[in-house]
Amino acid sequence: MAPGGHFTPTDCKATQKLAIIIPYRDRQKHLLNFLNHFIPVLKRQKLEFTIYVIEQGDNETFNRGLLLNVGFTEALKQDSYDCFILHDVDTYLLNDKNIYRCGDKPLHLAVAVEKYGFRLPYTTYYGAITAFNRKHYEMINGFPNVYFGWGGEDDDQGIRLHTKGLNFVRRSPQIARYASAKHNRDPTNPDGKDRFGLLRSAAKRMAYDGLNSLIYNVTSIELKKLYTLITITVDRNL
Ligand code: UDH
Ligand code: NGS
């Protein structure tokens, strides 16, 4: 691995450049497990990839959607990636045949996840792990930035895709199979208070809430051995 968590296979030419983006705060044990488990799989899949961990380094309520937008934006400042995999840190792939690359349509990867008994929790579920090419992520203005706290930002993005006629696809549950790390509720990620109200305006808000309204401060960018750590702060009152 090159510093910053970059890998290029030496015995073939990868067809896509992949940015793996992980929203993060205070989950060190999960992150180490994730890297230990995940990097060998990606190498076996002969992918060219860089791992970005986007850390919310303030005392504000956690905001997963905003962090993923930051990851997309910051990764593109470094390289012209073909494919973005947006990945929770506590969900570990179980099947090597679940190849991490983008296709013609956005992809929902967390299909059979241990914590839901290896079934979808509901049919429109679109959480935990998704894959996008640049054009599609930009077409829906990325994720909403206004979901502070747990829940809803993934459903909101599902509505964006549907509104644009850009419906996502899934792999079979045998292939897209994941283990879950058990954990307690994160103290700075309570259930989002406004999430159901926000969901009602998801289609309309897509035009002005997302990549084009993203405001954050980068505190530091560190090239770690296995990943690039980008620490940011957000101001909820802006
Ligand atoms: N995350 C962090 N730190 C946090 C919160 C979230 O790193 O403090 C990241 C991490 O990558 C995690 C992802 O955001 O995998 C999603 O977080 P989550 O809180 O949605 O994770 P999960 O769904 O836990 O596993 C939800 C707690 C139970 C919710 C019950 C709702 N009624
Ligand atoms: C829904 C949430 C989603 C979440 C899903 C699974 O209720 O954001 O549960 O959650 N939607 C809303 O809150 C509007 S989980 O079982 O992982 O805790 O992804």
Side-chain angles (χ1 to χ4, degrees), residues 132 136-142 157 160-161 164 166 206:
F132 277 95
H136 290 156
Y137 197 80
E138 287 174 345
M139 260 173 79
I140 55 163
N141 203 11
Q157 196 179 56
R160 290 176 178 218
L161 289 170
K164 286 280 180 192
L166 198 62
M206 170 164 53

Side-chain angles (χ1 to χ4, degrees), residues 101-116:
R101 71 170 160 239
C102 284
D104 299 340
K105 292 186 170 172
L107 187 60
H108 179 226
L109 281 159
V111 179
V113 180
E114 184 184 5
K115 73 171 174 180
Y116 309 123

Side-chain angles (χ1 to χ4, degrees), residues 7 10-11 26 34 69 72 79 81 90 103 107 113 117 119 125 127 132 147 149 178 188 198 205 207 215 224 233 236:
F7 177 77
T10 48
D11 55 349
D26 195 21
F34 180 88
N69 281 340
F72 178 86
D79 209 338
Y81 292 103
D90 56 5
L107 187 60
V113 180
R119 283 191 302 266
Y125 174 63
F132 277 95
Y147 287 75
Y178 289 85
T188 65
L198 285 170
R205 221 174 348 85
I215 301 177
K224 305 271 193 187
T233 60
R236 191 174 184 168

Side-chain angles (χ1 to χ4, degrees), residues 58 60-61 63 66 145-146 148 215 233-238:
D58 51 32
E60 188 49 84
T61 303
N63 188 327
L66 184 143
N145 300 315
V146 293
F148 284 84
I215 301 177
T233 60
V234 296
D235 184 346
R236 191 174 184 168
N237 301 314
L238 280 180

Side-chain angles (χ1 to χ4, degrees), residues 22-27 62 64 87-90 115-116 150 183 185-186 188-189 191 195:
I22 302 170
Y24 182 81
R25 174 189 266 166
D26 195 21
R27 294 270 192 108
F62 194 71
R64 178 174 178 269
H87 212 304
D88 280 4
V89 76
D90 56 5
K115 73 171 174 180
Y116 309 123
W150 179 88
H183 63 87
R185 148 84 61 173
D186 298 291
T188 65
N189 198 20
D191 286 357
R195 66 193 198 283

Side-chain angles (χ1 to χ4, degrees), residues 207-232:
Y208 56 85
D209 171 24
L211 290 172
N212 66 2
S213 64
L214 182 62
I215 301 177
Y216 60 97
N217 292 307
V218 175
T219 316
S220 61
I221 300 183
E222 291 174 65
L223 299 187
K224 305 271 193 187
K225 261 193 192 159
L226 299 179
Y227 58 96
T228 298
L229 177 63
I230 302 183
T231 304
I232 65 142

Side-chain angles (χ1 to χ4, degrees), residues 12-187:
C12 66
K13 173 129 182 56
T15 51
Q16 297 186 348
K17 253 190 223 176
L18 197 65
I20 316 261
I21 297 170
I22 302 170
Y24 182 81
R25 174 189 266 166
D26 195 21
R27 294 270 192 108
Q28 201 185 10
K29 202 175 88 197
H30 289 174
L31 181 58
L32 292 179
N33 286 341
F34 180 88
L35 296 167
N36 265 332
H37 180 80
F38 193 60
I39 291 172
V41 179
L42 294 180
K43 287 183 174 175
R44 285 198 291 276
Q45 293 186 352
K46 304 216 179 270
L47 301 173
E48 177 170 348
F49 63 89
T50 306
I51 298 176
Y52 292 94
V53 175
I54 314 298
E55 178 182 47
Q56 190 173 336
D58 51 32
N59 295 319
E60 188 49 84
T61 303
F62 194 71
N63 188 327
R64 178 174 178 269
L66 184 143
L67 290 172
L68 294 172
N69 281 340
V70 170
F72 178 86
T73 305
E74 291 294 319
L76 280 173
K77 289 181 185 170
Q78 299 193 349
D79 209 338
S80 54
Y81 292 103
D82 305 299
C83 179
F84 299 82
I85 311 256
L86 313 172
H87 212 304
D88 280 4
V89 76
D90 56 5
T91 310
Y92 309 124
L93 89 168
L94 290 171
N95 190 337
D96 265 34
K97 291 181 185 157
N98 187 10
I99 307 285
Y100 270 40
R101 71 170 160 239
C102 284
D104 299 340
K105 292 186 170 172
L107 187 60
H108 179 226
L109 281 159
V111 179
V113 180
E114 184 184 5
K115 73 171 174 180
Y116 309 123
F118 295 103
R119 283 191 302 266
L120 290 171
Y122 49 97
T123 50
T124 56
Y125 174 63
Y126 184 62
I129 313 163
T130 49
F132 277 95
N133 65 31
R134 177 178 180 169
K135 189 177 90 190
H136 290 156
Y137 197 80
E138 287 174 345
M139 260 173 79
I140 55 163
N141 203 11
F143 267 94
N145 300 315
V146 293
Y147 287 75
F148 284 84
W150 179 88
E153 81 295 339
D154 48 355
D155 300 315
D156 187 297
Q157 196 179 56
I159 294 171
R160 290 176 178 218
L161 289 170
H162 188 70
T163 307
K164 286 280 180 192
L166 198 62
N167 291 334
F168 61 83
V169 292
R170 294 194 182 110
R171 292 184 178 150
S172 77
Q174 287 75 27
I175 299 285
R177 196 172 167 83
Y178 289 85
S180 311
K182 291 196 177 56
H183 63 87
N184 296 327
R185 148 84 61 173
D186 298 291

